[in-house]
PDB file of all heavy atoms in Angstrom:
ATOM      1  N   PRO A1131     121.538 100.651 116.241  1.00 91.00           N
ATOM      2  CA  PRO A1131     122.862 100.809 115.626  1.00 91.00           C
ATOM      3  C   PRO A1131     123.575  99.484 115.434  1.00 91.00           C
ATOM      4  O   PRO A1131     123.315  98.511 116.142  1.00 91.00           O
ATOM      5  CB  PRO A1131     123.600 101.701 116.627  1.00 91.00           C
ATOM      6  CG  PRO A1131     122.940 101.419 117.936  1.00 91.00           C
ATOM      7  CD  PRO A1131     121.499 101.163 117.622  1.00 91.00           C
ATOM      8  N   GLY A1132     124.488  99.483 114.462  1.00 87.00           N
ATOM      9  CA  GLY A1132     125.319  98.316 114.211  1.00 87.00           C
ATOM     10  C   GLY A1132     126.764  98.614 114.536  1.00 87.00           C
ATOM     11  O   GLY A1132     127.118  99.702 115.010  1.00 87.00           O
ATOM     12  N   GLN A1133     127.629  97.651 114.270  1.00 81.00           N
ATOM     13  CA  GLN A1133     129.048  97.782 114.601  1.00 81.00           C
ATOM     14  C   GLN A1133     129.825  98.561 113.551  1.00 81.00           C
ATOM     15  O   GLN A1133     130.844  99.188 113.863  1.00 81.00           O
ATOM     16  CB  GLN A1133     129.665  96.387 114.768  1.00 81.00           C
ATOM     17  CG  GLN A1133     129.081  95.594 115.929  1.00 81.00           C
ATOM     18  CD  GLN A1133     129.326  96.253 117.279  1.00 81.00           C
ATOM     19  OE1 GLN A1133     130.412  96.762 117.549  1.00 81.00           O
ATOM     20  NE2 GLN A1133     128.308  96.261 118.131  1.00 81.00           N
ATOM     21  N   GLU A1134     129.379  98.510 112.293  1.00 81.00           N
ATOM     22  CA  GLU A1134     130.091  99.205 111.228  1.00 81.00           C
ATOM     23  C   GLU A1134     129.743 100.698 111.248  1.00 81.00           C
ATOM     24  O   GLU A1134     128.660 101.080 111.698  1.00 81.00           O
ATOM     25  CB  GLU A1134     129.739  98.604 109.868  1.00 81.00           C
ATOM     26  CG  GLU A1134     130.045  97.116 109.755  1.00 81.00           C
ATOM     27  CD  GLU A1134     131.518  96.808 109.911  1.00 81.00           C
ATOM     28  OE1 GLU A1134     132.352  97.679 109.551  1.00 81.00           O
ATOM     29  OE2 GLU A1134     131.860  95.708 110.381  1.00 81.00           O
ATOM     30  N   LEU A1135     130.652 101.525 110.702  1.00 76.00           N
ATOM     31  CA  LEU A1135     130.440 102.972 110.734  1.00 76.00           C
ATOM     32  C   LEU A1135     129.161 103.371 110.023  1.00 76.00           C
ATOM     33  O   LEU A1135     128.416 104.220 110.504  1.00 76.00           O
ATOM     34  CB  LEU A1135     131.641 103.692 110.110  1.00 76.00           C
ATOM     35  CG  LEU A1135     131.546 105.227 110.053  1.00 76.00           C
ATOM     36  CD1 LEU A1135     131.361 105.805 111.448  1.00 76.00           C
ATOM     37  CD2 LEU A1135     132.777 105.807 109.382  1.00 76.00           C
ATOM     38  N   TYR A1136     128.883 102.744 108.861  1.00 77.00           N
ATOM     39  CA  TYR A1136     127.699 103.121 108.095  1.00 77.00           C
ATOM     40  C   TYR A1136     126.400 102.779 108.829  1.00 77.00           C
ATOM     41  O   TYR A1136     125.340 103.324 108.510  1.00 77.00           O
ATOM     42  CB  TYR A1136     127.715 102.434 106.723  1.00 77.00           C
ATOM     43  CG  TYR A1136     127.511 100.938 106.760  1.00 77.00           C
ATOM     44  CD1 TYR A1136     126.232 100.385 106.783  1.00 77.00           C
ATOM     45  CD2 TYR A1136     128.592 100.078 106.773  1.00 77.00           C
ATOM     46  CE1 TYR A1136     126.043  99.010 106.835  1.00 77.00           C
ATOM     47  CE2 TYR A1136     128.422  98.714 106.818  1.00 77.00           C
ATOM     48  CZ  TYR A1136     127.144  98.178 106.847  1.00 77.00           C
ATOM     49  OH  TYR A1136     126.967  96.826 106.894  1.00 77.00           O
ATOM     50  N   SER A1137     126.473 101.881 109.817  1.00 83.00           N
ATOM     51  CA  SER A1137     125.270 101.482 110.554  1.00 83.00           C
ATOM     52  C   SER A1137     125.266 102.010 111.985  1.00 83.00           C
ATOM     53  O   SER A1137     124.368 101.685 112.764  1.00 83.00           O
ATOM     54  CB  SER A1137     125.147  99.956 110.572  1.00 83.00           C
ATOM     55  OG  SER A1137     126.252  99.361 111.242  1.00 83.00           O
ATOM     56  N   THR A1138     126.241 102.829 112.327  1.00 89.00           N
ATOM     57  CA  THR A1138     126.404 103.307 113.699  1.00 89.00           C
ATOM     58  C   THR A1138     125.192 104.080 114.201  1.00 89.00           C
ATOM     59  O   THR A1138     124.855 104.035 115.395  1.00 89.00           O
ATOM     60  CB  THR A1138     127.653 104.210 113.801  1.00 89.00           C
ATOM     61  OG1 THR A1138     128.807 103.428 113.479  1.00 89.00           O
ATOM     62  CG2 THR A1138     127.811 104.791 115.196  1.00 89.00           C
ATOM     63  N   PHE A1139     124.518 104.776 113.298  1.00 93.00           N
ATOM     64  CA  PHE A1139     123.452 105.684 113.715  1.00 93.00           C
ATOM     65  C   PHE A1139     122.057 105.070 113.601  1.00 93.00           C
ATOM     66  O   PHE A1139     121.064 105.748 113.852  1.00 93.00           O
ATOM     67  CB  PHE A1139     123.529 106.967 112.886  1.00 93.00           C
ATOM     68  CG  PHE A1139     124.876 107.632 112.963  1.00 93.00           C
ATOM     69  CD1 PHE A1139     125.818 107.443 111.964  1.00 93.00           C
ATOM     70  CD2 PHE A1139     125.221 108.405 114.052  1.00 93.00           C
ATOM     71  CE1 PHE A1139     127.065 108.033 112.036  1.00 93.00           C
ATOM     72  CE2 PHE A1139     126.473 109.004 114.141  1.00 93.00           C
ATOM     73  CZ  PHE A1139     127.398 108.803 113.134  1.00 93.00           C
ATOM     74  N   GLY A1140     121.968 103.783 113.218  1.00 94.00           N
ATOM     75  CA  GLY A1140     120.668 103.143 113.088  1.00 94.00           C
ATOM     76  C   GLY A1140     120.042 103.370 111.732  1.00 94.00           C
ATOM     77  O   GLY A1140     120.695 103.829 110.791  1.00 94.00           O
ATOM     78  N   HIS A1141     118.748 103.077 111.640  1.00 95.00           N
ATOM     79  CA  HIS A1141     118.078 103.144 110.343  1.00 95.00           C
ATOM     80  C   HIS A1141     116.578 103.345 110.536  1.00 95.00           C
ATOM     81  O   HIS A1141     116.013 102.957 111.560  1.00 95.00           O
ATOM     82  CB  HIS A1141     118.347 101.869 109.553  1.00 95.00           C
ATOM     83  CG  HIS A1141     117.887 101.924 108.129  1.00 95.00           C
ATOM     84  ND1 HIS A1141     118.292 102.914 107.257  1.00 95.00           N
ATOM     85  CD2 HIS A1141     117.051 101.132 107.430  1.00 95.00           C
ATOM     86  CE1 HIS A1141     117.734 102.708 106.077  1.00 95.00           C
ATOM     87  NE2 HIS A1141     116.972 101.640 106.161  1.00 95.00           N
ATOM     88  N   SER A1142     115.940 103.956 109.532  1.00 97.00           N
ATOM     89  CA  SER A1142     114.490 104.159 109.537  1.00 97.00           C
ATOM     90  C   SER A1142     113.914 103.746 108.186  1.00 97.00           C
ATOM     91  O   SER A1142     114.586 103.879 107.154  1.00 97.00           O
ATOM     92  CB  SER A1142     114.133 105.630 109.794  1.00 97.00           C
ATOM     93  OG  SER A1142     114.604 106.070 111.043  1.00 97.00           O
ATOM     94  N   ALA A1143     112.668 103.255 108.188  1.00 97.00           N
ATOM     95  CA  ALA A1143     112.014 102.846 106.939  1.00 97.00           C
ATOM     96  C   ALA A1143     110.505 102.777 107.161  1.00 97.00           C
ATOM     97  O   ALA A1143     110.024 102.802 108.302  1.00 97.00           O
ATOM     98  CB  ALA A1143     112.545 101.494 106.470  1.00 97.00           C
ATOM     99  N   PHE A1144     109.763 102.717 106.057  1.00 98.00           N
ATOM    100  CA  PHE A1144     108.321 102.492 106.104  1.00 98.00           C
ATOM    101  C   PHE A1144     108.039 101.010 105.867  1.00 98.00           C
ATOM    102  O   PHE A1144     108.713 100.350 105.069  1.00 98.00           O
ATOM    103  CB  PHE A1144     107.600 103.302 105.013  1.00 98.00           C
ATOM    104  CG  PHE A1144     107.480 104.776 105.303  1.00 98.00           C
ATOM    105  CD1 PHE A1144     108.291 105.685 104.648  1.00 98.00           C
ATOM    106  CD2 PHE A1144     106.548 105.248 106.214  1.00 98.00           C
ATOM    107  CE1 PHE A1144     108.180 107.042 104.891  1.00 98.00           C
ATOM    108  CE2 PHE A1144     106.426 106.601 106.472  1.00 98.00           C
ATOM    109  CZ  PHE A1144     107.245 107.505 105.811  1.00 98.00           C
ATOM    110  N   ARG A1145     107.016 100.501 106.538  1.00 98.00           N
ATOM    111  CA  ARG A1145     106.557  99.123 106.314  1.00 98.00           C
ATOM    112  C   ARG A1145     105.092  99.141 105.906  1.00 98.00           C
ATOM    113  O   ARG A1145     104.274  99.805 106.551  1.00 98.00           O
ATOM    114  CB  ARG A1145     106.731  98.286 107.577  1.00 98.00           C
ATOM    115  CG  ARG A1145     106.253  96.832 107.423  1.00 98.00           C
ATOM    116  CD  ARG A1145     106.303  96.086 108.757  1.00 98.00           C
ATOM    117  NE  ARG A1145     105.943  94.690 108.605  1.00 98.00           N
ATOM    118  CZ  ARG A1145     105.797  93.833 109.619  1.00 98.00           C
ATOM    119  NH1 ARG A1145     105.964  94.262 110.874  1.00 98.00           N
ATOM    120  NH2 ARG A1145     105.473  92.572 109.404  1.00 98.00           N
ATOM    121  N   LEU A1146     104.754  98.422 104.857  1.00 98.00           N
ATOM    122  CA  LEU A1146     103.374  98.281 104.393  1.00 98.00           C
ATOM    123  C   LEU A1146     102.941  96.834 104.553  1.00 98.00           C
ATOM    124  O   LEU A1146     103.612  95.920 104.075  1.00 98.00           O
ATOM    125  CB  LEU A1146     103.250  98.691 102.918  1.00 98.00           C
ATOM    126  CG  LEU A1146     101.926  98.320 102.230  1.00 98.00           C
ATOM    127  CD1 LEU A1146     100.769  99.148 102.795  1.00 98.00           C
ATOM    128  CD2 LEU A1146     102.031  98.496 100.720  1.00 98.00           C
ATOM    129  N   GLN A1147     101.814  96.643 105.236  1.00 97.00           N
ATOM    130  CA  GLN A1147     101.238  95.308 105.398  1.00 97.00           C
ATOM    131  C   GLN A1147      99.798  95.308 104.908  1.00 97.00           C
ATOM    132  O   GLN A1147      99.034  96.215 105.219  1.00 97.00           O
ATOM    133  CB  GLN A1147     101.244  94.886 106.870  1.00 97.00           C
ATOM    134  CG  GLN A1147     102.611  94.860 107.524  1.00 97.00           C
ATOM    135  CD  GLN A1147     102.506  94.593 109.011  1.00 97.00           C
ATOM    136  OE1 GLN A1147     102.325  93.458 109.442  1.00 97.00           O
ATOM    137  NE2 GLN A1147     102.616  95.650 109.816  1.00 97.00           N
ATOM    138  N   ASP A1148      99.458  94.290 104.132  1.00 97.00           N
ATOM    139  CA  ASP A1148      98.067  94.059 103.726  1.00 97.00           C
ATOM    140  C   ASP A1148      97.830  92.555 103.778  1.00 97.00           C
ATOM    141  O   ASP A1148      98.176  91.823 102.849  1.00 97.00           O
ATOM    142  CB  ASP A1148      97.804  94.590 102.314  1.00 97.00           C
ATOM    143  CG  ASP A1148      96.313  94.616 101.989  1.00 97.00           C
ATOM    144  OD1 ASP A1148      95.586  93.729 102.494  1.00 97.00           O
ATOM    145  OD2 ASP A1148      95.868  95.499 101.236  1.00 97.00           O
ATOM    146  N   PRO A1149      97.270  92.052 104.886  1.00 96.00           N
ATOM    147  CA  PRO A1149      97.084  90.607 105.042  1.00 96.00           C
ATOM    148  C   PRO A1149      96.139  90.009 104.002  1.00 96.00           C
ATOM    149  O   PRO A1149      96.257  88.828 103.674  1.00 96.00           O
ATOM    150  CB  PRO A1149      96.516  90.478 106.461  1.00 96.00           C
ATOM    151  CG  PRO A1149      95.934  91.818 106.775  1.00 96.00           C
ATOM    152  CD  PRO A1149      96.773  92.810 106.052  1.00 96.00           C
ATOM    153  N   VAL A1150      95.227  90.813 103.490  1.00 96.00           N
ATOM    154  CA  VAL A1150      94.288  90.311 102.479  1.00 96.00           C
ATOM    155  C   VAL A1150      95.018  90.019 101.170  1.00 96.00           C
ATOM    156  O   VAL A1150      94.812  88.988 100.530  1.00 96.00           O
ATOM    157  CB  VAL A1150      93.146  91.323 102.250  1.00 96.00           C
ATOM    158  CG1 VAL A1150      92.225  90.846 101.125  1.00 96.00           C
ATOM    159  CG2 VAL A1150      92.347  91.518 103.532  1.00 96.00           C
ATOM    160  N   LEU A1151      95.913  90.913 100.761  1.00 95.00           N
ATOM    161  CA  LEU A1151      96.667  90.736  99.518  1.00 95.00           C
ATOM    162  C   LEU A1151      97.980  89.987  99.725  1.00 95.00           C
ATOM    163  O   LEU A1151      98.682  89.708  98.747  1.00 95.00           O
ATOM    164  CB  LEU A1151      96.954  92.106  98.890  1.00 95.00           C
ATOM    165  CG  LEU A1151      95.731  92.949  98.490  1.00 95.00           C
ATOM    166  CD1 LEU A1151      96.187  94.270  97.876  1.00 95.00           C
ATOM    167  CD2 LEU A1151      94.841  92.190  97.526  1.00 95.00           C
ATOM    168  N   GLY A1152      98.315  89.696 100.977  1.00 96.00           N
ATOM    169  CA  GLY A1152      99.570  89.000 101.246  1.00 96.00           C
ATOM    170  C   GLY A1152     100.794  89.868 101.040  1.00 96.00           C
ATOM    171  O   GLY A1152     101.866  89.371 100.673  1.00 96.00           O
ATOM    172  N   ILE A1153     100.646  91.150 101.274  1.00 97.00           N
ATOM    173  CA  ILE A1153     101.758  92.086 101.084  1.00 97.00           C
ATOM    174  C   ILE A1153     102.391  92.416 102.432  1.00 97.00           C
ATOM    175  O   ILE A1153     101.686  92.726 103.395  1.00 97.00           O
ATOM    176  CB  ILE A1153     101.272  93.388 100.405  1.00 97.00           C
ATOM    177  CG1 ILE A1153     100.762  93.107  98.992  1.00 97.00           C
ATOM    178  CG2 ILE A1153     102.385  94.422 100.374  1.00 97.00           C
ATOM    179  CD1 ILE A1153     100.124  94.311  98.328  1.00 97.00           C
ATOM    180  N   ASP A1154     103.705  92.345 102.503  1.00 97.00           N
ATOM    181  CA  ASP A1154     104.455  92.781 103.682  1.00 97.00           C
ATOM    182  C   ASP A1154     105.829  93.226 103.184  1.00 97.00           C
ATOM    183  O   ASP A1154     106.751  92.420 103.046  1.00 97.00           O
ATOM    184  CB  ASP A1154     104.585  91.659 104.697  1.00 97.00           C
ATOM    185  CG  ASP A1154     105.117  92.150 106.045  1.00 97.00           C
ATOM    186  OD1 ASP A1154     105.441  93.352 106.138  1.00 97.00           O
ATOM    187  OD2 ASP A1154     105.209  91.336 106.988  1.00 97.00           O
ATOM    188  N   VAL A1155     105.942  94.522 102.900  1.00 98.00           N
ATOM    189  CA  VAL A1155     107.164  95.040 102.289  1.00 98.00           C
ATOM    190  C   VAL A1155     107.672  96.263 103.047  1.00 98.00           C
ATOM    191  O   VAL A1155     106.933  96.905 103.797  1.00 98.00           O
ATOM    192  CB  VAL A1155     106.941  95.424 100.805  1.00 98.00           C
ATOM    193  CG1 VAL A1155     106.613  94.196  99.976  1.00 98.00           C
ATOM    194  CG2 VAL A1155     105.860  96.484 100.679  1.00 98.00           C
ATOM    195  N   VAL A1156     108.941  96.566 102.809  1.00 98.00           N
ATOM    196  CA  VAL A1156     109.590  97.725 103.420  1.00 98.00           C
ATOM    197  C   VAL A1156     110.048  98.674 102.323  1.00 98.00           C
ATOM    198  O   VAL A1156     110.645  98.236 101.332  1.00 98.00           O
ATOM    199  CB  VAL A1156     110.803  97.297 104.276  1.00 98.00           C
ATOM    200  CG1 VAL A1156     111.624  98.505 104.703  1.00 98.00           C
ATOM    201  CG2 VAL A1156     110.334  96.531 105.507  1.00 98.00           C
ATOM    202  N   TYR A1157     109.754  99.958 102.502  1.00 98.00           N
ATOM    203  CA  TYR A1157     110.257 101.011 101.611  1.00 98.00           C
ATOM    204  C   TYR A1157     111.453 101.651 102.314  1.00 98.00           C
ATOM    205  O   TYR A1157     111.307 102.267 103.376  1.00 98.00           O
ATOM    206  CB  TYR A1157     109.172 102.041 101.322  1.00 98.00           C
ATOM    207  CG  TYR A1157     108.031 101.500 100.488  1.00 98.00           C
ATOM    208  CD1 TYR A1157     106.927 100.895 101.082  1.00 98.00           C
ATOM    209  CD2 TYR A1157     108.056 101.596  99.098  1.00 98.00           C
ATOM    210  CE1 TYR A1157     105.877 100.397 100.321  1.00 98.00           C
ATOM    211  CE2 TYR A1157     107.017 101.103  98.322  1.00 98.00           C
ATOM    212  CZ  TYR A1157     105.935 100.504  98.941  1.00 98.00           C
ATOM    213  OH  TYR A1157     104.901 100.006  98.174  1.00 98.00           O
TER     214      TYR A1157
END
């Protein structure tokens, strides 16, 4: 969680990593 109301409850996301292709992104 963060200090602001919109961030009070935390956050969730997907992360994709492919070291061969050099990809490291978040959906």
Side-chain angles (χ1 to χ4, degrees):
Q1133 296 297 318
E1134 302 298 330
L1135 179 58
Y1136 69 85
S1137 62
T1138 297
F1139 304 98
H1141 189 55
S1142 299
F1144 285 105
R1145 179 186 184 186
L1146 168 69
Q1147 301 173 79
D1148 192 327
V1150 176
L1151 299 180
I1153 296 173
D1154 191 356
V1155 295
V1156 170
Y1157 292 89

